[in-house]
Amino acid sequence: MKTLKIIEKTKLWFSISLIIILVGFFCMFKNGLNYGIDFKGGTLVQINMKKDFNKQDVEAIINKYTKDYTTNTATNTANEVQLEIRSNSLTDEQVESMSKEMKNKYKLQDKDFSQQRIGPSVGKELRQKAILALVIANLAMLIYVGFRFEFKFALAAILGLVHDIIITVSVYAILQIPVNSSFIAAILTIVGYSINDTIVVFDRIRENSKKMRKANDVELANISITETMTRSINTVLTTLFTIVSVYVFVPSVRDFATPLIVGIVSGAYSSIFISSPLWVMLKNKSAKQVLTTK
């Protein structure tokens, strides 16, 4: 098998990520993140539709009262279809008028509707806990990878995870996709997936370093990436097939599936094109420091 020249093109891989991040930060600075009801506060309306319905017809009714909304559907234990509407801007009067129109069209009763106000303080608390969870998760993995391999591997892996989080947030800022509690759960899942893929590459580098003692760090990384490339591609494709199928056929979990799709692609990319080159850079920096001290 011909060895791929991945490390030699480090500037290209870093530039691709940097462009996405810069565009994302520009959009974030200009428009901000599109925080959903979980973070910004707003109105949650739950409707027991009882049977399947045409989503376009329902959204035509909702559009009369607000443009700022997201919808989810789910089936309960009684095989009744539940519709959930989340909006940052719906007022009580608009909810009442919308409910009246829905009752007339779908022959629903008052008991089929429930309304809940979510305050922005809940969103603030959720944001703080999400950041804390990410910090703890990254620190725990830094310690684990550092103990199992070495600190340079751990640092490169964590920087790759930070890259995946920033890329996912940037895509959300660019496309103005609503950020909600499902997004946080997906980010934590992405972190776990990405570190697993990165460890596979680093484990191969460690194995090859014992067998090829005369090879330099660039050669070691290129050979190890080449040997694990097929596995990485197969893993990410099979995972993506599953997540995309869930996204298409299970609308109720799209808020969770969307960031997973972005994060899994970013995680596979960073494991090969970001974390491995970072490890080489860290090793070269250490080698230069040793030569300087001598």
Side-chain angles (χ1 to χ4, degrees):
M1 183 186 293
K2 184 179 179 181
T3 302
L4 300 171
K5 302 295 183 181
I6 300 296
I7 306 302
E8 288 83 352
K9 298 178 181 178
T10 294
K11 289 183 180 179
L12 173 62
W13 315 132
F14 283 14
S15 296
I16 293 171
S17 294
L18 187 61
I19 290 169
I20 297 172
I21 291 169
L22 288 176
V23 173
F25 273 60
F26 173 77
C27 294
M28 212 180 302
F29 178 77
K30 184 180 178 183
N31 304 314
L33 283 173
N34 182 14
Y35 287 112
I37 186 175
D38 296 328
F39 290 98
K40 206 173 179 179
T43 304
L44 170 64
V45 181
Q46 293 174 311
I47 308 171
N48 183 3
M49 300 297 291
K50 296 182 179 178
K51 58 184 180 180
D52 204 6
F53 60 91
N54 188 310
K55 191 176 180 182
Q56 290 182 340
D57 291 342
V58 170
E59 291 188 344
I61 295 173
I62 301 171
N63 271 311
K64 294 179 184 178
Y65 303 97
T66 179
K67 305 294 182 185
D68 175 22
Y69 72 92
T70 58
T71 59
N72 279 318
T73 57
T75 304
N76 62 17
T77 53
N79 289 324
E80 294 175 330
V81 180
Q82 308 284 321
L83 172 66
E84 189 176 87
I85 304 168
R86 294 170 176 260
S87 172
N88 301 122
S89 59
L90 267 176
T91 63
D92 292 339
E93 292 77 16
Q94 288 172 324
V95 172
E96 187 177 348
S97 300
M98 182 180 68
S99 300
K100 186 176 180 181
E101 190 170 345
M102 297 275 283
K103 287 174 189 175
N104 293 333
K105 184 174 179 64
Y106 295 99
K107 297 180 181 179
L108 303 174
Q109 301 176 359
D110 289 339
K111 66 179 182 179
D112 296 320
F113 290 80
S114 65
Q115 179 183 343
Q116 181 182 353
R117 278 285 192 193
I118 298 177
S121 60
V122 177
K124 184 179 179 181
E125 183 183 357
L126 184 61
R127 234 182 350 251
Q128 291 172 343
K129 288 183 177 179
I131 293 170
L132 180 62
L134 284 171
V135 170
I136 292 173
N138 279 281
L139 282 175
M141 283 185 283
L142 179 66
I143 295 168
Y144 171 73
V145 178
F147 177 77
R148 182 178 171 184
F149 294 90
E150 62 179 39
F151 182 73
K152 295 180 188 66
F153 278 123
L155 186 57
I158 295 304
L159 289 173
L161 295 182
V162 173
H163 163 274
D164 298 336
I165 294 169
I166 295 174
I167 287 290
T168 305
V169 172
S170 296
V171 170
Y172 264 61
I174 294 167
L175 301 179
Q176 284 294 289
I177 304 171
V179 175
N180 48 38
S181 55
S182 298
F183 175 83
I184 301 303
I187 286 292
L188 290 169
T189 307
I190 290 164
V191 167
Y193 175 88
S194 182
I195 194 70
N196 179 62
D197 209 22
T198 303
I199 284 177
V200 170
V201 179
F202 284 175
D203 197 43
R204 186 58 60 90
I205 291 174
R206 185 176 62 173
E207 289 176 4
N208 286 335
S209 66
K210 296 175 182 177
K211 294 186 293 184
M212 297 178 288
R213 296 186 181 277
K214 293 183 179 180
N216 59 40
D217 296 327
V218 172
E219 291 172 336
L220 272 176
N222 280 333
I223 292 168
S224 301
I225 291 170
T226 302
E227 290 175 350
T228 57
M229 181 70 79
T230 301
R231 179 202 177 278
S232 297
I233 292 173
N234 289 338
T235 302
V236 73
L237 285 179
T238 51
T239 307
L240 276 178
F241 289 152
T242 304
I243 300 299
V244 171
S245 297
V246 169
Y247 177 88
V248 173
F249 297 109
V250 190
S252 59
V253 296
R254 279 180 182 169
D255 288 346
F256 180 69
T258 303
L260 272 186
I261 292 171
V262 178
I264 285 170
V265 173
S266 175
Y269 180 84
S270 69
S271 297
I272 298 168
F273 303 108
I274 302 296
S275 295
S276 299
L278 279 171
W279 173 78
V280 173
M281 290 170 64
L282 290 169
K283 291 286 284 185
N284 289 341
K285 186 177 179 182
S286 295
K288 287 179 182 177
Q289 287 177 345
V290 171
L291 289 172
T292 303
T293 54
K294 288 182 178 180

